[in-house]
Amino acid sequence: IIGILAAIAIPVFLSQRNKAQDAATKADVSTVGKEIATWYVDNPADEAVPFEQVGDEYQIDGEKIGNASQNVTVELQAGATATTWEVIGENSFSDQTKTYSYSAESGLQEVTD
């Protein structure tokens, strides 16, 4: 009986861990995307966004805008402008890595190849 319950519970548990990692990636990408959109409202449209991920936090112009989730990497695509910027986030938690983007045009989306 215990073996049967374990055989059912373990795959469900692993699936929930993957969903949690996906949720963390989505949250990080959304946070950074919204902060970059705000930055463009407050600054000249032709100025480059000084965004970087430093250790376990995200920064714009050296100021913390949010905490980086474990295993999540977020970057701003090169050549960003006020209307064409895009943030890409990826989680390296498992072999089933999903990539998400948040852009000026379409908000949050899963990137599919």
Side-chain angles (χ1 to χ4, degrees):
I1 293 174
I2 293 174
I4 292 170
L5 292 175
I8 294 169
I10 290 173
V12 171
F13 171 73
L14 294 176
S15 172
Q16 292 303 316
R17 285 184 69 190
N18 287 338
K19 287 180 183 179
Q21 292 295 321
D22 287 345
T25 307
K26 289 178 187 179
D28 284 15
V29 169
S30 292
T31 297
V32 171
K34 290 172 186 173
E35 289 292 335
I36 287 174
T38 301
W39 189 88
Y40 273 120
V41 168
D42 297 339
N43 293 281
D46 59 345
E47 193 173 320
V49 179
F51 169 78
E52 60 185 338
Q53 183 172 346
V54 180
D56 64 347
E57 67 183 36
Y58 303 114
Q59 297 179 355
I60 291 182
D61 204 17
E63 293 192 31
K64 181 179 176 180
I65 59 168
N67 293 323
S69 298
Q70 188 174 10
N71 304 315
V72 176
T73 304
V74 174
E75 57 186 44
L76 177 63
Q77 295 299 306
T81 68
T83 57
T84 64
W85 60 267
E86 182 177 25
V87 176
I88 302 290
E90 187 173 273
N91 192 311
S92 61
F93 172 70
S94 71
D95 61 343
Q96 298 175 353
T97 301
K98 290 186 180 176
T99 303
Y100 295 94
S101 75
Y102 193 103
S103 67
E105 288 183 15
S106 50
L108 181 66
Q109 293 186 340
E110 183 176 351
V111 176
T112 56
D113 293 328

